[in-house]
């Protein structure tokens, strides 16, 4: 399968790495806006560099295009690619504007349109989902997502909420089910954007939840990303996405814990979650099936972010 990567930035290198090494894909092109950087990336992975998107599409005729651009610059190129009909894998966030998201989905119709919510493919997350689906936690009563890291400043005052916490929204709905209402508190006290947020959540299954996320923190801290889910029969905690999963049964002081072992070191590599997702994406694409994570999930995360923005602006609880 011929694959072209749109974007020559940091995370885009993982796109190039994966598709250049798989035996069932050929990385034919890298498209970028900076000629020198694009050429260097293409040379590193044995592809052809392009700074003209139309020329790339016409010359290479890719069977899958992946899009990895700066967070607030997704819409125009994604729309152009959607209209070509080529199967797409895009990075999060889908876009920042709900009307733009609706346009992309409407234009795509039934065509293959995937988004990379790769946290779903972390080993601790897959194991947590299996425990929940098997009923090991009983009735879930609350869930919380906590995230911290250094500032990644954007043009939008809500860049943190939209481009990072989209993972939180998606992860909580993936594990618990639909969020039905949001109450939000945010602060812009550090550098003028709403870089720290605290959300209270209602779920369709009548559980409640929280999200606490900040760019006024550090990725150096242990458990900078933590998911905790409590039920009537047990509790689980996912530590730093890929590092560990702990599970405790109600009333039992002995905790069970998963961590990657000597021979499965790839399981604690965060970038490896993308490799796993790509495997599922290509399996679906070859079978003419829907993507494992459709771009609709990106639109849903954006909808929830906008509900949080509305709640903060109005001081009211907002239904979703």
């Amino acid at each position: 399968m011929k694959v072209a990567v749109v974007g020559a930035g940091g995370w885009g290198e993982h796109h190039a790495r994966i598709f250049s090494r798989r035996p069932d894909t050929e990385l034919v092109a890298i498209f970028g806006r900076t000629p020198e950087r694009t050429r260097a990336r293409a040379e590193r992975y044995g592809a052809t560099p392009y700074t003209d998107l139309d020329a790339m599409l016409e010359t290479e005729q890719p069977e899958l295009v992946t899009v990895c651009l700066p967070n607030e610059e997704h819409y125009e190129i994604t729309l152009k690619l959607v209209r070509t009909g080529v199967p797409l894998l895009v990075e999060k966030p889908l876009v920042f504007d709900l009307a733009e998201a609706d346009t992309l989905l409407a234009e795509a119709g039934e065509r293959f349109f995937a988004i990379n919510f790769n946290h779903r493919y972390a080993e601790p997350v897959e194991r947590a989902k299996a425990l929940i689906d098997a009923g090991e936690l009983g009735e879930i009563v609350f869930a919380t997502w906590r995230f911290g890291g250094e500032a990644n400043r954007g043009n939008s005052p809500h860049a943190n909420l939209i481009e990072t916490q989209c993972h939180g929204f998606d992860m909580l709905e993936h594990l618990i089910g639909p969020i039905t209402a949001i109450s939000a508190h945010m602060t812009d006290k550090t550098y003028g954007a709403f870089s720290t947020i605290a959300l209270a959540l209602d779920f369709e299954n009548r559980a409640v939840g929280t999200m606490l996320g900040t760019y006024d923190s550090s990725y150096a801290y242990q458990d900078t990303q933590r998911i905790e889910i409590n039920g009537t029969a047990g509790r689980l905690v996912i530590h730093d996405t890929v590092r560990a999963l702990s599970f405790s049964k109600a009333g039992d002081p002995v905790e069970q814990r998963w961590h990657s072992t000597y021979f499965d070191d790839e399981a604690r590599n965060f970038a490896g979650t993308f490799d796993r997702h790509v495997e599922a994406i290509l399996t679906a694409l070859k079978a003419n099936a829907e993507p494992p994570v459709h771009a609709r999930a990106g639109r849903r995360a954006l909808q929830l972010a906008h509900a949080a923005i509305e709640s903060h602006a109005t001081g009211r609880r907002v239904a979703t």
Side-chain angles (χ1 to χ4, degrees), residues 243-259:
R243 185 163 58 85
L245 168 70
S246 57
F247 172 65
S248 302
K249 294 182 179 180
D252 186 349
V254 179
E255 177 185 272
Q256 302 175 46
R257 186 176 179 88
W258 175 90
H259 64 274

